[in-house]
Amino acid sequence: MAPVRLRNTKGSNATEIEKKIKRGNALRQGSAWRSTRGLLVLLLLAVLGAGVAAWFYLASLDSDITETLVSQRELISPQPRLYTVPCSEDYENHKRHPGCTPQKCGRAVTDSVVTGEEAQVLRRLAERGLALAGSEGGASILDLHSGALSMGKQFVNIYRYFGDQIRDVFTPEDFQLYRDVRERIQAVIAETFGLDPNLMYLTKPTFFSRINSTMAKTQHDEYWHPHVDKVTYGSFDYTSLLYLSDYGSDFTGGRFVFMDQNGNRTVEPRAGRVSFFSSGSENLHRVEKVTWGTRYAITVSFTCDPAQAISDPALP
């Protein structure tokens, strides 16, 4: 705006006009500031709103658990607790094997297959094996079948890498217990889903896992992503997990979460607990990030395809 010139001849009138101009400028500046302040407030609210929405979205991954299927405190015995769900179409993309391919789908939990003492022995086996190396990130695996062991950002074969020294780490009794437990898990899955256990076969990968809160260093450490076992591995028809540590006392986080359309449902690990389920999209799942402590488990997987079968592990 062009400056206003005041003539001295007007005297008090000039002074009055000058006051009005200053007052008008002040009012315009105040109005502009209020307008700007309003925009800033709106912008701030929008940013805060977006931040809150993002927080709720991320938090919902772990907090949107609408049902706890089995808590750590419960003891599910002698019969498994079974929750049936409709089978997905995933199995139609693979050759069907009568007597084994899922016709009845669901998820189940039992605490009567493996004793607490056996779980402790298997955990010590896992601890000894994983102490040989381990991932730089928060997730390490030990596969007694293939010999795969996390080491830094890669894997090594323990049988080739350590040779005969591996007999100082594992004993024949360790491997015998591992086979016995595998047979019992296979039997309870067959009984629960109405299968012929002789038509079920152990398949890969079957492995021990150790998970803690260390930051992930490679994609192998990112265990928490939702996935479907049948889609990820192909050979899986039935998946089981044997927990070797207790939720709440050995670790926090790390619960197993089934992600259904109408809400999430979780299983809280308990040493000796076996959770098992049909491996198709009807059981989309993930594991919560471990926030404290160390979570030990064994994933034992089964196929209906004899061409995908693997043998029980044996000391070289």
Side-chain angles (χ1 to χ4, degrees):
M1 181 179 68
V4 177
R5 296 180 181 274
L6 303 178
R7 288 187 291 179
N8 294 331
T9 55
K10 295 291 183 179
S12 61
N13 288 337
T15 301
E16 189 64 28
I17 291 173
E18 185 176 8
K19 288 180 180 179
K20 290 181 179 180
I21 291 173
K22 288 181 178 180
R23 186 162 53 248
N25 286 339
L27 290 172
R28 281 192 294 274
Q29 288 173 357
S31 177
W33 161 241
R34 284 191 295 274
S35 177
T36 301
R37 183 174 60 184
L39 290 174
L40 289 173
V41 169
L42 289 175
L43 180 60
L44 180 59
L45 289 174
V47 170
L48 287 174
V52 170
W55 182 87
F56 274 113
Y57 172 76
L58 293 173
S60 69
L61 291 177
D62 284 335
S63 65
D64 189 26
I65 294 175
T66 57
E67 182 181 355
T68 299
L69 292 183
V70 183
S71 72
Q72 190 278 335
R73 297 185 302 275
E74 294 180 85
L75 181 65
I76 310 303
S77 181
Q79 296 301 316
R81 181 177 294 176
L82 172 65
Y83 303 85
T84 58
V85 294
C87 293
S88 67
E89 298 180 356
D90 294 342
Y91 309 102
E92 302 299 329
N93 299 323
H94 299 267
K95 181 179 178 180
R96 299 189 71 83
H97 298 271
C100 181
T101 297
Q103 299 292 319
K104 172 184 177 182
C105 294
R107 67 233 10 189
V109 178
T110 178
D111 293 317
S112 61
V113 171
V114 180
T115 68
E117 292 75 14
E118 290 171 329
Q120 289 179 5
V121 172
L122 290 170
R123 173 171 170 168
R124 288 195 292 268
L125 186 162
E127 290 173 337
R128 293 196 306 274
L130 289 162
L132 297 172
S135 168
E136 291 181 3
S140 300
I141 70 158
L142 169 65
D143 183 340
L144 294 179
H145 302 266
S146 68
L149 171 68
S150 301
M151 179 177 281
K153 295 181 180 180
Q154 57 187 0
F155 298 92
V156 297
N157 186 306
I158 57 172
Y159 303 124
R160 289 200 296 265
Y161 194 86
F162 296 101
D164 292 340
Q165 296 177 2
I166 205 67
R167 287 183 170 272
D168 297 327
V169 181
F170 305 125
T171 68
E173 291 75 20
D174 290 332
F175 279 60
Q176 183 60 54
L177 175 59
Y178 183 91
R179 288 191 293 271
D180 290 345
V181 166
R182 188 273 303 164
E183 290 175 355
R184 279 180 257 157
I185 292 174
Q186 183 169 340
V188 75
I189 293 174
E191 181 180 359
T192 302
F193 288 110
L195 313 173
D196 183 343
N198 296 313
L199 298 178
M200 296 171 62
Y201 307 92
L202 192 65
T203 193
K204 61 182 180 182
T206 287
F207 56 91
F208 289 88
S209 61
R210 181 186 69 195
I211 303 174
N212 58 38
S213 59
T214 303
M215 182 179 298
K217 299 297 177 63
T218 72
Q219 64 178 3
H220 299 296
D221 298 319
E222 297 180 7
Y223 56 85
W224 54 81
H225 298 297
H227 64 280
V228 173
D229 288 345
K230 188 67 178 172
V231 174
T232 302
Y233 301 110
S235 64
F236 281 34
D237 288 300
Y238 301 94
T239 307
S240 68
L241 293 106
L242 167 58
Y243 297 108
L244 305 178
S245 49
D246 290 308
Y247 169 74
S249 56
D250 293 321
F251 63 92
T252 53
R255 292 178 294 183
F256 191 94
V257 182
F258 291 103
M259 303 176 69
D260 298 327
Q261 289 186 348
N262 60 347
N264 295 339
R265 292 170 173 84
T266 184
V267 173
E268 296 181 353
R270 173 189 176 105
R273 171 167 290 169
V274 177
S275 172
F276 55 94
F277 51 93
S278 50
S279 303
S281 297
E282 68 276 3
N283 281 314
L284 172 68
H285 62 274
R286 64 184 179 84
V287 174
E288 290 179 320
K289 289 185 179 181
V290 171
T291 55
W292 170 85
T294 304
R295 176 189 189 269
Y296 286 92
I298 311 175
T299 298
V300 185
S301 48
F302 297 94
T303 184
C304 298
D305 185 356
Q308 300 292 332
I310 63 173
S311 301
D312 286 313
L315 277 173

